[in-house]
């Protein structure tokens, strides 16, 4: 598996962020729409497999296929642009502004929501035979997920809101690690492996992903979940979006940029020591040989 060094990786991340900021409105919306649709279809698949097998781990193992498909096709998730777009602004790329970053985030949010809502309607039709019967076992499970991830948090008040935010933070730490991991590898098998691991982790741990939730909660409402749109917005989507932003940008984007993009001053060896070191043969450092 070919490997991109971290210093080169950060340049690629900044380049990607710059490209997304300058992308046309049409392309941004289309790519975000398809990303939302593919990711949430994979969520429906994973939940279906979990219900049918009785093992949530099966769903976690299978869910990353959606993320892999959308990434390989060049589509965009809100959780990804939360990390990439600000790096181009921090790097002071010509023409990149804070307003451009916010524009990109807003368009990707709208596109992701449109794709997720489309899949929510389509899968609700599947689970109910066109709304002519009661939801099947998977549909019932989706309704309960919506209740647990809104009213379940609300029952704990401020502690529930903090837990929700932290779950969103941890989620995009892992998801953005998957985005970066895909850019570390140059071939498709390497990209798949690097994406699979952190995406599986976030799904298995029940962390909160803003785009996945754009599917789960509308589906839950259509299938009889006992919660409201306001419950969804206040006790899930808004705190999750904020947690995703903080987690991805802080634990992935800014850390990589700080240590590999804007490295600190290196410590220079004393002049006498440097001359002495040239007189003695030494092995090449391992990182120079890779």
């Amino acid at each position: 598996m070919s490997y991109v060094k971290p210093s080169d990786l950060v340049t690629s991340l900044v380049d990607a962020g710059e490209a997304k900021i300058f992308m046309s409105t049409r392309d941004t919306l289309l790519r975000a729409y398809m990303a939302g649709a593919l990711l949430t279809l994979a969520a429906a698949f994973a939940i279906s497999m979990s219900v049918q097998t009785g093992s949530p781990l099966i769903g976690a193992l299978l869910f990353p296929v959606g993320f892999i498909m959308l990434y390989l096709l060049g589509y965009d998730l809100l959780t990804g642009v939360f990390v990439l777009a600000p790096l181009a602004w921090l790097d002071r790329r010509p023409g990149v502004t804070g307003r451009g970053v916010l524009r990109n985030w807003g368009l990707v949010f709208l596109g992701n929501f449109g794709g997720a809502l489309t899949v929510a309607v389509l899968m609700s039709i599947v689970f109910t035979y066109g709304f002519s019967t009661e939801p099947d076992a998977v549909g019932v499970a989706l309704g309960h997920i919506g209740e647990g991830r809104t009213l379940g948090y609300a029952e704990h008040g401020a502690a529930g809101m903090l837990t929700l935010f932290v779950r969103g933070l941890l989620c995009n730490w892992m998801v953005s690690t998957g985005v970066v991991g895909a850019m570390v590898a140059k071939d498709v098998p390497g990209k798949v492996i690097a994406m699979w691991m952190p995406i599986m982790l976030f799904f298995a741990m029940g962390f909160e992903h803003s785009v996945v939730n754009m599917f789960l909660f509308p589906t839950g409402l259509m299938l009889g979940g006992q919660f409201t749109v306001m419950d969804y917005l206040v006790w899930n989507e808004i705190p999750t979006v904020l947690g995703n932003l903080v987690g991805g940008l802080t634990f992935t984007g800014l850390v990589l940029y700080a240590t590999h993009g804007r490295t600190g001053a290196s410590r220079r060896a004393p002049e006498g020591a440097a001359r002495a070191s040239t007189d003695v043969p030494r092995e090449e450092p391992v990182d120079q040989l890779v």
Side-chain angles (χ1 to χ4, degrees), residues 250-273:
T250 302
F251 288 102
T252 303
L254 292 181
V255 171
L256 284 170
Y257 185 78
T259 190
H260 293 300
R262 292 290 181 91
T263 57
S266 60
R267 294 182 60 186
R268 301 180 62 182
E271 187 174 337

Side-chain angles (χ1 to χ4, degrees), residues 91-254:
D91 203 55
R92 299 180 180 178
R93 291 293 177 92
V96 174
T97 64
R99 182 176 180 180
V101 173
L102 294 176
R103 169 188 171 276
N104 176 255
W105 288 353
L107 290 174
V108 173
F109 180 94
L110 291 175
N112 285 169
F113 185 79
L117 186 60
T118 299
V119 173
V121 172
L122 295 176
M123 292 308 301
S124 294
I125 292 172
V126 171
F127 295 142
T128 62
Y129 282 87
F131 300 103
S132 65
T133 65
E134 291 296 315
D136 62 11
V138 178
V140 171
L142 284 167
H144 289 319
I145 289 173
E147 293 168 5
R149 292 193 175 185
T150 53
L151 304 180
Y153 289 121
E155 289 177 0
H156 297 279
M161 186 65 75
L162 175 62
T163 302
L164 173 57
F165 174 82
V166 171
R167 283 187 171 180
L169 181 153
L170 292 170
C171 171
N172 205 28
W173 181 8
M174 290 297 97
V175 173
S176 58
T177 299
V179 172
V180 172
M183 299 177 75
V184 165
K186 293 183 179 180
D187 54 18
V188 172
K191 290 178 181 292
V192 169
I193 293 170
M195 287 186 277
W196 202 289
M197 296 182 290
I199 302 304
M200 178 182 65
L201 189 156
F202 111 72
F203 198 86
M205 295 290 288
F207 297 153
E208 299 285 352
H209 191 288
S210 55
V211 181
V212 172
N213 291 350
M214 293 174 186
F215 160 77
L216 291 176
F217 293 91
T219 304
L221 287 169
M222 285 186 276
L223 298 179
Q226 299 301 305
F227 61 98
T228 67
V229 172
M230 191 57 65
D231 290 331
Y232 158 56
L233 293 175
V234 174
W235 286 101
N236 193 283
E237 190 64 34
I238 294 174
T240 296
V241 167
L242 294 175
N244 287 171
L245 171 61
V246 172
L249 188 56
T250 302
F251 288 102
T252 303
L254 292 181

Side-chain angles (χ1 to χ4, degrees), residues 1 64 79 87 107 146 182 196 246 249 284 288:
M1 179 177 72
T79 44
L87 295 184
L107 290 174
W196 202 289
V246 172
L249 188 56
E284 287 292 325
Q288 296 293 327

Side-chain angles (χ1 to χ4, degrees), residues 46-62:
I47 292 169
S48 297
M49 294 301 100
S50 296
V51 171
Q52 292 174 17
T53 63
S55 172
L57 180 59
I58 298 297
L61 286 169
L62 297 174

